[in-house]
Amino acid sequence: GAVVSQHPSWVICKSGTSVKIECRSLDFQATTMFWYRQFPKQSLMLMATSNEGSKATYEQGVEKDKFLINHASLTLSTLTVTSAHPEDSSFYICSERSGGSSYNEQFFGPGTRLTVL
Amino acid sequence: AQSVTQLDSQVPVFEEAPVELRCNYSSSVSVYLFWYVQYPNQGLQLLLKYLSGSTLVKGINGFEAEFNKSQTSFHLRKPSVHISDTAEYFCAVSKDTGRRALTFGSGTRLQVQP
């Protein structure tokens, strides 16, 4: 299957700062990437769908001005948490949807753990 | 909209015993069904998926699942578990049209004891 990397794997930042998380497709051109958030001991919740060359589609309740998504190329999508606060501390996971098949299977990155102090 | 219910938040089991993790879904359209495993501080790994065809699906690490359309279930089973199977297991569904983002269940923590 496809290989997806995320960077950094973990980050600690001060409240009020911005943090950028990168999601890279290492062996496939991903036209669509998904960003999920997972709070401790909870399931993954879809935040937004990132489409290459166009604006991201955000799920209800997710602030698009706070969670900036950029998908400038077929191999890279970035999520920037702006003015981070402790309640933004979470595990952020991206996935890519492969194209060219009858079903577009998703491949997940290893996740980025964000801790906001 | 679709939803997924995992009935058990935790399942303790002894090593080499069989296990079943339950998953029920609801959807007004046809769906694809998945089971993922998550080890501590790691991303998700696909165990198996049902897209079409045979309702009994075999996956990695000796796991299998059976799609039951009438009961809207997709329970995960393994005949003999190992300590290394201790992890969080997520059932997920995706519509067969549209964006196909995954909707996850709340997860089941499988704890295999020696």
Side-chain angles (χ1 to χ4, degrees):
Chain A
V3 179
V4 180
S5 71
Q6 282 185 241
H7 178 80
S9 55
W10 59 269
V11 58
I12 301 173
C13 69
K14 293 182 179 180
S15 183
T17 61
S18 295
V19 175
K20 179 185 284 189
I21 301 170
E22 294 184 348
C23 177
R24 290 185 184 274
S25 173
L26 299 182
D27 60 352
F28 198 86
Q29 294 184 331
T31 56
T32 301
M33 289 185 174
F34 299 100
W35 285 96
Y36 295 85
R37 179 169 53 185
Q38 184 182 28
F39 291 107
K41 300 188 184 301
Q42 295 186 30
S43 189
L44 282 76
M45 299 298 294
L46 180 67
M47 298 176 65
T49 302
S50 172
N51 299 298
E52 188 268 335
S54 63
K55 291 183 178 180
T57 304
Y58 290 82
E59 295 301 299
Q60 189 173 8
V62 178
E63 301 175 57
K64 62 180 181 180
D65 294 330
K66 181 171 182 62
F67 299 98
L68 300 178
I69 291 174
N70 183 281
H71 194 158
S73 76
L74 288 172
T75 59
L76 174 64
S77 176
T78 60
L79 168 67
T80 301
V81 183
T82 62
S83 187
H85 292 285
E87 57 265 30
D88 298 323
S89 298
S90 187
F91 196 48
Y92 292 86
I93 303 175
C94 70
S95 72
E96 68 165 17
R97 190 183 81 185
S98 64
S101 60
S102 59
Y103 173 75
N104 304 140
E105 185 171 339
Q106 285 188 41
F107 301 93
F108 287 83
T112 296
R113 184 163 301 285
L114 170 63
T115 301
V116 184
L117 302 177
Chain B
Q2 61 266 31
S3 65
V4 181
T5 301
Q6 291 183 245
L7 299 169
D8 306 299
S9 60
Q10 293 188 68
V11 174
V13 63
F14 288 108
E15 194 173 19
E16 298 184 4
V19 70
E20 178 180 82
L21 305 184
R22 296 180 292 172
C23 172
N24 288 87
Y25 70 93
S26 65
S27 177
S28 58
V29 298
S30 297
V31 294
Y32 299 126
L33 296 156
F34 305 82
W35 275 99
Y36 286 88
V37 60
Q38 185 181 34
Y39 298 101
N41 296 312
Q42 294 186 29
L44 276 71
Q45 181 180 4
L46 180 66
L47 278 177
L48 49 78
K49 60 179 183 252
Y50 172 79
L51 305 182
S52 65
S54 173
T55 56
L56 182 62
V57 181
K58 294 188 182 297
I60 62 172
N61 301 340
F63 284 93
E64 64 179 31
E66 185 160 18
F67 170 57
N68 189 317
K69 188 174 182 179
S70 62
Q71 297 186 5
T72 60
S73 68
F74 190 55
H75 300 332
L76 181 71
R77 303 186 184 98
K78 186 170 183 177
S80 176
V81 295
H82 302 288
I83 296 288
S84 59
D85 293 322
T86 295
E88 192 83 19
Y89 291 81
F90 292 98
C91 182
V93 301
S94 173
K95 292 188 295 184
D96 65 353
T97 59
R99 294 183 295 144
R100 297 180 183 170
L102 293 169
T103 299
F104 286 88
S106 55
T108 298
R109 173 73 177 170
L110 176 63
Q111 297 172 303
V112 182
Q113 303 166 356

